Amino acid sequence: MKKFLAALLILVLAMTGVVSAMAEDEVKVMTYEEYAAAELDTEVVIECYVQATQSWWQDQITVYAQDENGAYFLYNMACTEEDAAKLVPGTKIRVTGYKGAWEGEVEVMEATFEFVEAEPWIAEAKDLTEVLANEEELIKYQNQLATFKGLTVESVTFKNGEPGDDIYVTLQQGEKTFDFCIEVYLTGTDTEVYKAVSELKAGDVVDVTAFVYWYKTVNAHITAVAPAAK
């Protein structure tokens, strides 16, 4: 009888392990289309590739991420300083969190992550010059890395009146103007792009590369700027 009970216990434990393993396997990773269609405040599980990060701070990091079909803004994701150093562009991660929105910017909140072994992947900047003035079309590319060509500088304003913090750039296309931004936590102050934007003058015509961030309307985070190609 004791042998029978022992065998039964082993069987139960083995089956528990199988069930546990099956439960882990049943974690469904969303496609970008499924993520985009998900309601706000619902849990999401995605796999994506790091494209850039903001500064790590107090066990949190904000990540610009993308896959072949769309992009994600991972806001204040839980992360150790050691892991933050590993989140280099091209790194694949699996992220679990909640889909949220703030002033029109859709993001993953309260996120945790794990590394996924994969070949590095970096997105090519998509030319969205032609849809910049079409907000309904542009928002479909939210958080993707994009280029906007032939824009005229209307104004450059430093957040605190002088270099050292964010820079707000108003750019003009035709008769419309658009707000772009140097997010200092993304670029830092000692980078080529920070210096280049600091030196822009009204009337300059430029090509801009930026993540299509949103704040009520487009408020793209600049990663590169150069005189417009002729």
Side-chain angles (χ1 to χ4, degrees), residues 49-52 66-67 88-91 119-125 145:
Y49 296 83
V50 175
Q51 303 301 302
Q66 199 161 331
D67 62 25
V88 297
T91 302
E119 287 295 316
W121 181 81
I122 301 290
E124 291 186 12
L145 187 65

Side-chain angles (χ1 to χ4, degrees), residues 77-129:
M77 183 171 69
C79 181
T80 65
E81 187 172 14
E82 181 182 5
D83 281 345
K86 301 174 185 176
L87 290 174
V88 297
T91 302
K92 188 173 185 179
I93 55 176
R94 176 181 289 187
V95 180
T96 301
Y98 290 88
K99 183 178 177 181
W102 184 72
E103 298 291 3
E105 168 63 25
V106 177
E107 55 198 35
V108 181
M109 301 176 171
E110 299 180 26
T112 59
F113 79 100
E114 58 186 284
F115 293 100
V116 177
E117 288 191 19
E119 287 295 316
W121 181 81
I122 301 290
E124 291 186 12
K126 186 175 183 63
D127 188 345
L128 296 180
T129 307

Side-chain angles (χ1 to χ4, degrees), residues 7-153:
L8 182 60
L9 179 60
I10 292 172
L11 179 60
V12 170
L13 290 173
M15 290 180 65
T16 301
V18 170
V19 171
S20 177
M22 289 175 61
E24 291 180 3
D25 291 340
E26 287 172 0
V27 174
K28 187 178 187 306
V29 176
M30 293 177 161
T31 63
Y32 178 77
E33 290 74 16
E34 290 171 332
Y35 166 80
E39 296 290 334
L40 294 179
D41 299 322
T42 57
E43 186 177 58
V44 294
V45 181
I46 59 171
E47 288 187 354
C48 51
Y49 296 83
V50 175
Q51 303 301 302
T53 62
Q54 294 187 10
S55 304
W56 176 87
W57 177 248
Q58 294 184 336
D59 288 330
Q60 294 181 328
I61 193 166
T62 293
V63 179
Y64 302 79
Q66 199 161 331
D67 62 25
E68 293 86 347
N69 299 306
Y72 312 86
F73 189 69
L74 315 177
Y75 180 71
N76 278 356
M77 183 171 69
C79 181
T80 65
E81 187 172 14
E82 181 182 5
D83 281 345
K86 301 174 185 176
L87 290 174
V88 297
T91 302
K92 188 173 185 179
I93 55 176
R94 176 181 289 187
V95 180
T96 301
Y98 290 88
K99 183 178 177 181
W102 184 72
E103 298 291 3
E105 168 63 25
V106 177
E107 55 198 35
V108 181
M109 301 176 171
E110 299 180 26
T112 59
F113 79 100
E114 58 186 284
F115 293 100
V116 177
E117 288 191 19
E119 287 295 316
W121 181 81
I122 301 290
E124 291 186 12
K126 186 175 183 63
D127 188 345
L128 296 180
T129 307
E130 297 302 316
V131 300
L132 177 58
N134 184 343
E135 187 169 290
E136 289 186 3
E137 185 65 21
L138 181 63
I139 200 170
K140 296 176 184 177
Y141 301 95
Q142 190 175 105
N143 297 317
Q144 289 192 36
L145 187 65
T147 58
F148 302 92
K149 298 179 179 178
L151 305 184
T152 302
V153 177

